[in-house]
Amino acid sequence: MTTAAGSSDRMPRTRLPRNQRGQQLLDVAEGLFSDRGFKDTSMEDVARAAGVTRTVVYGHYPTKEALFVACVERARTDLECRLGDLISLDKGIAVMGEAFERVVDVFFQILEQDPGRWAMLYSSGPGSSEDIVNQMATLRQNTANRIADVISHYVPDMEYDRSRAYAHAISGVTEQLGSWWLANPAISRERIVTLCHDFIMAGFSPWVEGSHRPGSASKSPATTKTQAEAACAAAERPARVKSI
């Protein structure tokens, strides 16, 4: 069948409100970036998969880099909302250990449910400009700050710099164990959460199960300091997750 203008028949494009279209483009782009990587995904690919023209895509996201950053920002916002939910459940948690397990489980739930999104969360980005690199670093910093908020909520007498340092350690160790879990998928999520918990909890030992006394934050045992430093060192190692 042909139209009156003689062109071949096509499926009509669905007009969506701008906000909905923007979210649809993010859905499509996230899937393509996860499957193909940043380099092998074009704006034309996104337009074709979304059933729109490139003009529509560029009208929402002026560059492919901007589209990628928007995908990462949305994924991290979802992660940070899940972390924020932990604060609202707080009253029934008696010890820091249980709160920490819940923080870690949030990360590994995402990895279990959507490995592509996990890879995007920990991607360094296209690295095409200093501005993009800085935006990606800021997004990761925001997530670490959200972890620190959870820690501070459950352990209000922990020093500010310690809660921030531990939050970065948690983020880094979780990232590395997530990469390891991808290579060892037979391990259950419960087991990987336990392993992550056991590795980092030594850093929290002065505050666990009532052993912490007000004013003793700076007097952690030497072994605790060593183990905490090991956790921080792990956080600085490069990720092994497939680059996108």
Side-chain angles (χ1 to χ4, degrees), residues 141-209:
Q141 177 74 42
N142 290 343
T143 298
N145 288 341
R146 196 57 174 153
I147 297 171
D149 290 342
V150 176
I151 294 172
S152 296
H153 181 76
Y154 288 105
V155 193
D157 58 340
M158 183 182 287
E159 310 101 300
Y160 179 88
D161 60 346
R162 186 183 295 271
S163 68
R164 264 55 193 171
Y166 283 3
H168 278 82
I170 290 170
S171 180
V173 172
T174 302
E175 176 180 355
Q176 293 298 320
L177 283 179
S179 299
W180 181 75
W181 189 27
L182 285 171
N184 296 272
I187 297 174
S188 68
R189 190 178 87 225
E190 291 74 15
R191 177 61 175 164
I192 197 71
V193 168
T194 297
L195 292 173
C196 191
H197 170 274
D198 290 350
F199 179 75
I200 298 180
M201 275 306 293
F204 288 100
S205 59
W207 290 270
V208 176
E209 295 177 351

Side-chain angles (χ1 to χ4, degrees), residues 53 100 137 139:
T53 65
F100 172 71
L139 291 174

